Amino acid sequence: VSSGAGRGSVWLMRVATACRLSSINSTRFSLGSHSRSLALEIQAPSRMNMSTVGSTTASDLLRIMTSGDETGNKSLQSHNTNTKWSSPSENFKPSKKQILASQNVLEHSLATDLNKFYVVDSSDESLVTDNFLTSKMQKEASREGFCSFLLRDYMLMASDFLEQTSFVPKVFFTGADGNGKSASLAYLEHRFHKKGWLVVPIQNGADLVLKPKYIDMSMHKEGMADSTLHAKELIERIFAVNGDMMQQFATTKEYTWFEGTDNATTTGITTPLSELRELIEEDDRCATDVACVILKELFAAKNRPNILLSIDEMNGLFEETAAMVDEDFNPIPPERLTIVRTLRSIVHGLAEEESLSRAALVGASSSCGNTLQQLNDVSRHIMLDSSVDGEVFYCKNNESTSPNQAKEKDVSDKNTGATASMPVTTLHFTPARLNQVEVGAIVGFSNFIGWCNQPTSTTFVGSLIDVTAGHFPLLKKTLRSM
């Protein structure tokens, strides 16, 4: 098949690139070397499976990246360099070490991995995409065929800081939507899960208040309301993420279920938390109570591993008005929502109990499609009032310092006026739009894997920032179209 310049050439080029990235035997395809056309030679058309074209996976991508020469572009560089799309720009021939972070997420550091791309290994890909990514990010990963993270400075700073568990470290991300707050949470959840921590990911704190799913009046406390489907989703996510570790936890007291019904039952002390899920199969109206008991028991357990509570759209969790009514059509205040009340209690406990060890809290704000103010009074108090600005705290004269060197701050005593030194327990970051260096890294990665073939010059990168406003998803979409 041969096509001249124009849309046909572009289509064939993309098919060839897709074939190179897919699991199709690449020996069945060859790129022509004509200066004004692209030839795609199919040696065995009857055996070609077009359903696999473009079905890139993390395994495929990593195999391609680790094969060939040091630039990872051996197959591209072997063709005619007179055509504008045949090989990477001369001013950017990246090596794997320049582009890719270590496959071991625990090895990432600010010193060695800043602005590199971390491609999640195929063995972890399903867990990360299904449990840590937002629905939009899941669609993006599905479209790309793999899951990856650009390691920005504040993500690596936050990770180092959270490892200081002699107190309750807290990290919060605020600011405009689309700047990487949710991606930062997902990366931290993944990293600390691999580190052996218990991870409790709350993907949509605002939805618990503003978009309830399947509301039941509580069977346990009169006047309370339960969001049954949200509770079931949370329970399944906790067990999916933490797997076998959940088998070691049991209740520390008796609980009565289905009160006021003929099916009332009591579970005794040392009942495995995994067995509580069986109650939901009997009557799912107890799902919210089961979720709340699991959360309380995990945080109260004495011999548990470190635990990370991560809440996206955290400001929405503290909204004053809920979008629901009870059976008499009276508005239900958020404090009457069982799961919201429990999570608020845990967050306040983590925010105020500085001496508690083996626990950490991370959260991000969201405008939820411009329906919420960024921070209400309560979330502002939690996420900002006691925080140290991470960007200012770590960066001085454009030189990043190790978070381990910055664990104390000066605090004035209100009574004596004396200045005392105390641990910094809360960091606040306001992720900005992508800057010149970060956009250059993204262009380099896109060239590296064959999405595009564009220069990393200051002029081109600047024009990309102007067109996309430094918005990550829009930038990647733009590059893939080139």
Side-chain angles (χ1 to χ4, degrees):
V1 181
S2 180
S3 173
R7 297 184 63 181
S9 289
V10 175
W11 182 85
L12 287 172
M13 179 183 68
R14 290 177 179 170
V15 170
T17 302
C19 294
R20 184 176 64 85
L21 289 174
S22 74
S23 57
I24 296 177
N25 186 343
S26 59
T27 61
R28 290 157 55 188
F29 302 91
S30 64
L31 289 173
S33 58
H34 305 293
S35 61
R36 297 187 58 82
S37 65
L38 175 69
L40 176 63
E41 181 179 338
I42 304 175
Q43 297 177 358
S46 61
R47 298 177 55 193
M48 179 179 177
N49 180 6
M50 286 302 293
S51 65
T52 63
V53 174
S55 57
T56 318
T57 65
S59 296
D60 299 328
L61 183 63
L62 292 173
R63 184 171 62 252
I64 293 165
M65 289 178 173
T66 55
S67 64
D69 63 8
E70 183 63 18
T71 67
N73 289 291
K74 184 174 182 180
S75 60
L76 285 177
Q77 291 177 351
S78 64
H79 299 289
N80 184 9
T81 58
N82 293 326
T83 56
K84 64 180 181 180
W85 41 261
S86 61
S87 65
S89 173
E90 287 298 323
N91 70 339
F92 190 81
K93 292 184 177 179
S95 67
K96 291 189 284 289
K97 291 182 179 180
Q98 290 174 311
I99 295 296
L100 298 181
S102 169
Q103 276 299 105
N104 184 351
V105 67
L106 300 180
E107 295 179 352
H108 297 167
S109 70
L110 192 64
T112 61
D113 298 292
L114 180 62
N115 295 329
K116 292 184 180 180
F117 271 83
Y118 166 56
V119 180
V120 179
D121 189 83
S122 56
S123 61
D124 296 318
E125 190 175 19
S126 178
L127 183 142
V128 173
T129 55
D130 293 347
N131 298 287
F132 299 150
L133 301 188
T134 64
S135 57
K136 289 184 179 179
M137 293 165 64
Q138 288 174 353
K139 292 178 181 177
E140 181 71 13
S142 176
R143 184 181 301 113
E144 295 176 352
F146 59 93
C147 176
S148 64
F149 295 93
L150 172 64
L151 301 182
R152 303 178 74 179
D153 51 3
Y154 54 83
M155 297 166 67
L156 297 169
M157 292 176 185
S159 179
D160 287 344
F161 179 77
L162 290 171
E163 295 183 2
Q164 312 305 314
T165 53
S166 58
F167 47 88
V168 182
K170 296 170 286 292
V171 175
F172 300 116
F173 302 93
T174 64
D177 293 350
N179 283 5
K181 301 188 300 296
S182 295
S184 299
L185 292 189
Y187 174 77
L188 293 173
E189 291 162 357
H190 171 45
R191 179 162 179 162
F192 283 88
H193 170 261
K194 295 292 287 185
K195 195 175 178 65
W197 287 36
L198 286 166
V199 176
V200 179
I202 310 296
Q203 290 188 336
N204 304 103
D207 284 2
L208 298 175
V209 177
L210 304 176
K211 300 177 182 178
K213 294 182 179 180
Y214 191 9
I215 294 298
D216 288 310
M217 298 312 294
S218 176
M219 302 173 67
H220 180 61
K221 289 186 178 180
E222 185 177 356
M224 298 295 289
D226 297 341
S227 183
T228 302
L229 289 184
H230 272 137
K232 293 171 71 173
E233 291 172 359
L234 175 58
I235 292 169
E236 292 307 310
R237 187 173 295 118
I238 290 174
F239 277 88
V241 169
N242 299 293
D244 294 339
M245 280 196 294
M246 294 298 296
Q247 303 302 320
Q248 65 181 285
F249 299 106
T251 57
T252 57
K253 60 181 180 179
E254 292 185 347
Y255 292 97
T256 301
W257 312 90
F258 312 122
E259 290 182 282
T261 71
D262 295 336
N263 297 324
T265 185
T266 299
T267 54
I269 299 175
T270 69
T271 300
L273 295 186
S274 57
E275 291 185 9
L276 298 183
R277 291 194 293 174
E278 299 175 4
L279 297 168
I280 301 174
E281 298 177 4
E282 182 177 344
D283 189 336
D284 68 359
R285 289 180 295 172
C286 72
T288 299
D289 292 330
V290 170
C292 293
V293 166
I294 289 174
L295 287 171
K296 292 176 180 178
E297 292 285 0
L298 285 178
F299 279 92
K302 294 182 179 180
N303 297 316
R304 60 162 170 75
N306 297 326
I307 187 169
L308 175 71
L309 175 62
S310 175
I311 306 178
D312 204 356
E313 301 181 357
M314 183 173 163
N315 53 319
L317 182 65
F318 293 94
E319 278 297 292
E320 297 179 354
T321 305
M324 64 198 76
V325 295
D326 61 20
E327 57 218 8
D328 298 320
F329 298 98
N330 297 315
I332 300 177
E335 276 298 316
R336 283 177 54 195
L337 298 171
T338 308
I339 197 166
V340 170
R341 185 172 184 174
T342 298
L343 285 172
R344 285 182 173 184
S345 176
I346 293 173
V347 170
H348 280 299
L350 292 175
E352 298 169 6
E353 193 64 48
E354 307 291 3
S355 62
L356 181 65
S357 63
R358 301 177 299 114
L361 171 66
V362 295
S365 66
S366 173
S367 69
C368 297
N370 295 320
T371 61
L372 290 178
Q373 57 177 322
Q374 277 290 330
L375 296 174
N376 50 46
D377 290 343
V378 177
S379 58
R380 182 181 301 278
H381 172 72
I382 294 173
M383 302 176 79
L384 288 185
D385 287 355
S386 60
S387 300
V388 173
D389 190 317
E391 296 289 350
V392 173
F393 193 57
Y394 286 128
C395 299
K396 185 177 181 180
N397 297 328
N398 295 322
E399 295 183 0
S400 297
T401 60
S402 169
N404 294 327
Q405 299 172 358
K407 294 187 292 185
E408 294 185 346
K409 62 179 178 179
D410 292 334
V411 179
S412 298
D413 188 293
K414 294 181 180 179
N415 298 321
T416 65
T419 299
S421 184
M422 64 174 289
V424 171
T425 61
T426 308
L427 287 182
H428 164 248
F429 296 95
T430 304
R433 294 293 191 189
L434 295 165
N435 60 35
Q436 189 92 11
V437 175
E438 292 166 335
V439 172
I442 295 170
V443 175
F445 179 72
S446 300
N447 287 343
F448 188 87
I449 64 175
W451 274 352
C452 68
N453 180 42
Q454 300 297 333
T456 56
S457 63
T458 301
T459 301
F460 179 74
V461 169
S463 65
L464 275 180
I465 294 176
D466 291 340
V467 170
T468 64
H471 189 265
F472 199 176
L474 181 56
L475 177 66
K476 290 196 293 185
K477 181 179 179 180
T478 301
L479 285 172
R480 285 200 300 270
S481 69
M482 291 182 172

